[in-house]
Amino acid sequence: TAWSCARLLYKDVPLLNSISASAIARIDEFAAQNLSNTAWAFAKCQRIDIPLIEAISAASLRLISSFDGQGLANTSWAWSTFSVQNK
């Protein structure tokens, strides 16, 4: 998982690309925690994946009321790491 890669600081680009593609395809199935964990993991791995960031952003806006404090903090930290701005 992306979280496991981040915890181990395992930055295998082909693997992260594969995880990203899979996540984007299933993003509508993600709960708030899945979104925040994925954002956190990619930020921790210093992997800026614009299509994934955009997909997480859109899905997060739909589920914003479902985020707990930790999820909001993790997602905010990830976005600040990426210097993401909602346009």
Side-chain angles (χ1 to χ4, degrees):
T1 66
W3 184 87
S4 299
C5 290
R7 291 291 295 157
L8 297 171
L9 294 177
Y10 185 71
K11 301 176 185 180
D12 183 89
V13 173
L15 176 59
L16 291 171
N17 287 344
S18 178
I19 291 170
S20 173
S22 178
I24 291 168
R26 299 180 58 208
I27 204 80
D28 291 332
E29 300 172 23
F30 280 31
Q33 184 175 355
N34 304 125
L35 295 168
S36 66
N37 287 351
T38 304
W40 174 86
F42 273 76
K44 185 74 174 171
C45 289
Q46 300 173 337
R47 179 76 181 129
I48 298 174
D49 185 309
I50 299 301
L52 179 62
I53 291 169
E54 290 174 346
I56 292 172
S57 292
S60 295
L61 288 173
R62 288 191 297 273
L63 296 177
I64 195 69
S65 63
S66 301
F67 279 78
D68 62 11
Q70 186 68 53
L72 290 171
N74 287 350
T75 306
S76 297
W77 175 83
W79 282 186
S80 68
T81 299
F82 293 140
S83 299
V84 170
Q85 296 179 0
N86 189 14
K87 296 180 181 176

